[in-house]
């Protein structure tokens, strides 16, 4: 049975190893979300082994090539994105593991015919133009799953095979509000190393992050 309950290992050492391995695998899954949202191609490559593959809809091939393909594309076609990875189920057998996790993705697309028709299609863009929303930002919200096979090599877990599913989406004009009471909470991040998160360091631990 897939993801059936597992008996506790026979020794404390084996239990500790299992807990450690599972936590490392979950961090791999979460690191993917950070890398894709910060448009950090080099960090994204650390999620995958050199010979890993990713079947990702518009891309199906080597995962390091996927990183070089997807990061420029998402920067060119969207102004913002956020990916959530949740509900991780992981089964481990020595240095091999497989997992299923849920994905939730949110993307903002610049307004204008070229941008909207390229990201969605001309029919959607024509409808937006008729409704008077073409020149404002639009949103693409989607959900599905990551199906992964992972291996541990030289003590490090990485994805070896990834297949995604995309099971629903919502495409609509953006309803984001950045005026009035919301203005003080317009604290955007950046999709490069100027993002404030890159100030998280032990080298300047006593300094402010911002």
């Amino acid at each position: 049975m897939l993801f059936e309950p597992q008996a506790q290992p026979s020794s404390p050492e084996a239990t500790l190893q299992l807990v450690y391995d599972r936590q490392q695998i979950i961090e791999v899954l979460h690191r993917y979300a950070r890398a894709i949202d910060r448009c950090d191609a080099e960090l994204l490559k650390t999620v995958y082994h050199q010979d890993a593959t990713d079947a990702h809809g518009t891309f199906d091939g080597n995962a390091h090539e996927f990183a070089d393909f997807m990061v420029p594309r998402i920067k060119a076609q969207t102004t913002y994105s956020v990916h959530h990875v949740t509900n991780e189920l992981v089964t481990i057998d020595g240095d091999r593991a497989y997992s299923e996790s849920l994905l939730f993705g949110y993307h903002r697309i610049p307004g204008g015919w070229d941008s909207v028709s390229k990201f969605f299609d001309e029919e959607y863009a024509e409808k937006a133009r008729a409704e008077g929303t073409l020149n404002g930002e639009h949103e693409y919200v989607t959900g599905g799953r990551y199906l992964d096979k992972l291996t541990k090599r030289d003590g490090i877990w990485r994805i070896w095979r990834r297949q995604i599913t995309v099971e629903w989406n919502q495409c609509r004009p953006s309803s984001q509000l950045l005026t009035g009471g919301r203005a003080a909470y317009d604290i955007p991040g950046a999709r490069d190393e100027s993002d404030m998160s890159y100030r998280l360091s032990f080298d300047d631990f006593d300094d402010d992050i911002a």
Side-chain angles (χ1 to χ4, degrees):
M1 180 188 302
L2 189 64
F3 301 118
E4 64 182 343
Q6 301 291 307
Q8 182 172 337
S10 58
S11 70
E13 293 78 13
T15 300
L16 182 61
Q17 185 66 57
L18 181 64
V19 171
Y20 175 82
D21 286 338
R22 185 179 188 279
Q23 182 59 38
Q24 289 301 304
I25 288 168
I26 290 175
E27 289 199 15
V28 170
L29 303 179
H30 291 182
R31 190 179 305 121
Y32 170 86
R34 171 179 169 78
I36 202 74
D37 289 335
R38 299 282 66 79
C39 293
D40 190 332
E42 294 310 306
L43 181 63
L44 186 55
K45 291 175 183 179
T46 71
V47 171
Y48 303 97
H49 289 296
Q50 285 281 351
D51 60 345
T53 59
D54 194 327
H56 215 99
T58 55
F59 184 96
D60 187 352
N62 178 268
H64 284 228
E65 294 176 8
F66 165 76
D68 289 330
F69 163 82
M70 183 55 69
V71 167
R73 185 181 188 201
I74 204 167
K75 290 184 76 172
Q77 295 189 1
T78 70
T79 57
Y80 178 80
S81 70
V82 60
H83 292 72
H84 296 277
V85 182
T86 65
N87 294 54
E88 304 93 344
L89 292 171
V90 179
T91 297
I92 301 171
D93 177 21
D95 290 343
R96 305 180 305 165
Y98 56 79
S99 72
E100 176 188 71
S101 54
L102 299 188
L103 73 91
F104 175 87
Y106 171 84
H107 310 76
R108 285 203 309 268
I109 294 85
W113 175 266
D114 290 343
S115 175
V116 173
S117 63
K118 183 175 182 179
F119 189 91
F120 299 102
D121 58 32
E122 292 191 357
E123 182 179 356
Y124 179 93
E126 287 284 9
K127 181 181 178 183
R129 180 154 60 187
E131 294 174 347
T133 62
L134 178 63
N135 292 325
E137 284 193 323
H138 289 253
E139 298 174 338
Y140 173 67
V141 187
T142 187
R145 290 170 292 151
Y146 297 118
L147 306 175
D148 295 314
K149 294 179 180 179
L150 305 97
T151 61
K152 182 168 62 173
R153 302 178 188 173
D154 299 323
I156 299 177
W157 285 99
R158 303 184 202 270
I159 294 170
W160 177 57
R161 296 287 183 263
R162 165 161 282 189
Q163 169 74 58
I164 73 162
T165 72
V166 179
E167 300 177 16
W168 61 268
N169 73 72
Q170 296 180 359
C171 306
R172 62 205 182 199
S174 175
S175 58
Q176 180 171 242
L177 183 64
L178 300 177
T179 59
R182 296 300 88 203
Y185 292 94
D186 179 23
I187 312 173
R191 300 197 295 178
D192 54 35
E193 292 189 7
S194 68
D195 183 76
M196 65 184 71
S197 66
Y198 287 88
R199 292 291 305 278
L200 294 170
S201 168
F202 288 115
D203 294 335
D204 52 3
F205 197 77
D206 294 332
D207 294 346
D208 292 336
I209 294 174

